[in-house]
């Protein structure tokens, strides 16, 4: 489970890099909106937010997940939901636009990794349930 989550955070880092290189905030209205909430300079706002996301992912990996804190499972589930959506939205946006859109390549990695992580979280939860007296 830890390795799958680490891979998901690394995939998000690659995805954030691809989004930044190809300037997603210029073509994707939600990215433009969220970046504008942080800064009048959309590029700076976008990069800042993506650095925060990847930094948060690294923190989640090194502390709650690797140390198996009780909050780890809800954190993993949150990442699973967000990355599954992220991995679906980018290809759909490309279809709507009729061609490549920024970060669609790395987005194709996010959903499968998130769903694999989900299967591990569910298996781990089922295993823990079966070990409880009762």
């Amino acid at each position: 489970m830890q390795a799958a989550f680490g891979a998901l955070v690394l995939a998000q880092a690659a995805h954030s890099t691809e989004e930044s290189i190809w300037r997603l905030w210029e073509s994707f209205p939600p990215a433009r909106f969220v970046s504008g909430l942080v800064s009048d300079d959309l590029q700076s706002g976008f990069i800042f937010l993506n650095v925060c996301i990847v930094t948060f992912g690294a923190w989640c990996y090194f502390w709650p997940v690797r140390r198996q804190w009780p909050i780890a499972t809800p954190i993993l589930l949150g990442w699973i939901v967000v990355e599954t959506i992220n991995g679906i939205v980018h290809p759909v946006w490309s279809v709507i636009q009729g061609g490549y859109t920024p970060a669609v390549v790395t987005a194709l990695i996010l959903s499968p990794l998130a769903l694999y992580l989900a299967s591990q979280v569910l298996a781990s939860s089922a295993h823990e349930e079966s070990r409880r007296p009762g």
Side-chain angles (χ1 to χ4, degrees):
M1 192 163 46
Q2 293 173 7
F5 180 64
L8 185 60
V9 172
L10 289 174
Q12 177 57 53
H15 182 67
S16 291
T17 301
E18 185 184 4
E19 287 179 332
S20 297
I21 289 170
W22 294 104
R23 307 174 69 87
L24 181 68
W25 64 90
E26 291 180 350
S27 62
F28 191 56
R32 186 171 35 256
F33 173 75
V34 173
S35 300
L37 293 175
V38 177
S39 175
D40 290 335
D41 178 356
L42 297 181
Q43 179 178 6
S44 295
F46 187 82
I47 291 170
F48 172 79
L49 289 171
N50 274 279
V51 167
C52 288
I53 291 166
V54 173
T55 301
F56 178 64
W59 178 83
C60 290
Y61 174 78
F62 285 109
W63 280 273
V65 173
R66 284 197 56 210
R67 295 173 187 210
Q68 299 177 352
W69 291 357
I71 193 75
T73 298
I75 286 172
L76 291 171
L77 293 173
W79 276 88
I80 289 164
V81 168
V82 168
E83 297 298 10
T84 299
I85 292 168
N86 201 1
I88 293 169
V89 168
H90 279 279
V92 168
W93 180 246
S94 287
V95 169
I96 290 168
Q97 294 300 305
Y100 174 84
T101 58
V104 71
V105 173
T106 51
L108 297 174
I109 300 167
L110 296 174
S111 287
L113 271 175
L115 294 174
Y116 175 69
L117 177 59
S119 72
Q120 289 190 325
V121 169
L122 291 172
S124 175
S125 295
H127 179 71
E128 288 176 21
E129 275 295 314
S130 70
R131 291 180 37 201
R132 289 190 184 148

